[in-house]
């Protein structure tokens, strides 16, 4: 299944990047969906190429019953973000991989923070797949809207966070 989202923020790429690697912001977005931020780590200097590892526990209450039967009441999601160094115009690219403990899902996405006249356009493109024989397509199809929303929450909440902090 394909993921695709785009958001515009009236802030620089540097400011948006700083929010996306702010542990308090990540805790806020995790709690917003009823989950918890279990851990967060940054490897490298965020001024250049770096990576982050975010581990969250999220409830499955909004998942279809078929999927909940597989995974239970909550999921542990590990998100690995590999950020490229800023481009000449300040734009950034992040390769995102999500691993869901106890669920046969793989999520791979590319997030671009594009500098547009002092503003940032956030573009997200990715895929959700499942390796379960025969049911994999149905599982990925059921999970795709939730995964898309989870990845997009960060972008949409960044605006409110930047205005209040």
């Amino acid at each position: 299944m394909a993921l695709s989202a785009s958001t515009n923020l009236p802030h620089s790429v540097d400011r948006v990047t700083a929010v996306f690697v702010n542990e308090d912001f990540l805790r806020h977005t995790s709690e917003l969906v009823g989950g918890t931020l279990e851990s967060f780590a940054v490897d490298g200097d965020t001024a250049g190429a770096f990576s982050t590892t975010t581990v969250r526990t999220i409830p499955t209450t909004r998942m279809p019953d078929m999927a909940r039967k597989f995974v239970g009441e909550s999921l542990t999601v590990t998100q690995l973000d590999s950020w490229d160094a800023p481009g000449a115009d300040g734009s950034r690219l992040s390769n995102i991989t999500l691993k869901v403990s106890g669920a046969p899902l793989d999520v791979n996405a590319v997030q671009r923070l594009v500098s547009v006249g002092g503003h940032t356009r956030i573009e997200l493109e990715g895929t959700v797949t499942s390796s379960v024989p025969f049911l994999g397509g149905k599982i990925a199809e059921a999970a795709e809207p939730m995964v898309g929303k989870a990845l997009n929450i960060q972008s949409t909440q960044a605006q409110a966070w930047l205005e209040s902090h």
Side-chain angles (χ1 to χ4, degrees):
M1 299 303 308
L3 300 171
S4 182
S6 180
T7 304
N8 291 298
L9 299 179
H11 301 280
S12 69
V13 170
D14 286 346
R15 290 200 64 208
V16 173
T17 301
V19 169
F20 285 177
V21 298
N22 178 300
E23 187 170 349
D24 290 335
F25 173 73
L26 295 170
R27 183 172 290 104
H28 165 74
T29 57
S30 298
E31 292 171 356
L32 188 69
V33 297
T36 57
L37 179 67
E38 301 296 330
S39 66
F40 175 70
V42 177
D43 184 19
D45 183 349
T46 59
F50 68 97
S51 63
T52 63
T53 303
T54 308
V55 180
R56 297 178 176 95
T57 301
I58 58 170
T60 59
T61 52
R62 295 182 182 162
M63 291 182 82
D65 288 339
M66 179 186 83
R68 288 182 70 195
K69 288 177 186 177
F70 274 101
V71 298
E73 296 300 314
S74 67
L75 294 171
T76 299
V77 179
T78 302
Q79 181 174 331
L80 305 171
D81 294 351
S82 297
W83 290 81
D84 289 351
D89 67 349
S91 295
R92 308 268 327 221
L93 181 134
S94 174
N95 288 294
I96 301 169
T97 303
L98 293 179
K99 296 294 181 189
V100 182
S101 177
L105 291 173
D106 290 308
V107 180
N108 293 291
V110 173
Q111 178 175 257
R112 290 175 184 81
L113 305 184
V114 181
S115 180
V116 182
H119 293 80
T120 302
R121 185 176 64 244
I122 303 169
E123 301 170 349
L124 179 72
E125 300 287 332
T127 59
V128 178
T129 58
S130 176
S131 59
V132 174
F134 305 114
L135 293 176
K138 289 188 181 289
I139 292 169
E141 185 178 320
E144 185 271 329
M146 283 195 60
V147 171
K149 282 182 185 177
L151 290 172
N152 202 34
I153 281 173
Q154 179 173 290
S155 298
T156 58
Q157 287 296 309
Q159 174 65 28
W161 187 268
L162 284 164
E163 289 175 1
S164 65
H165 289 81

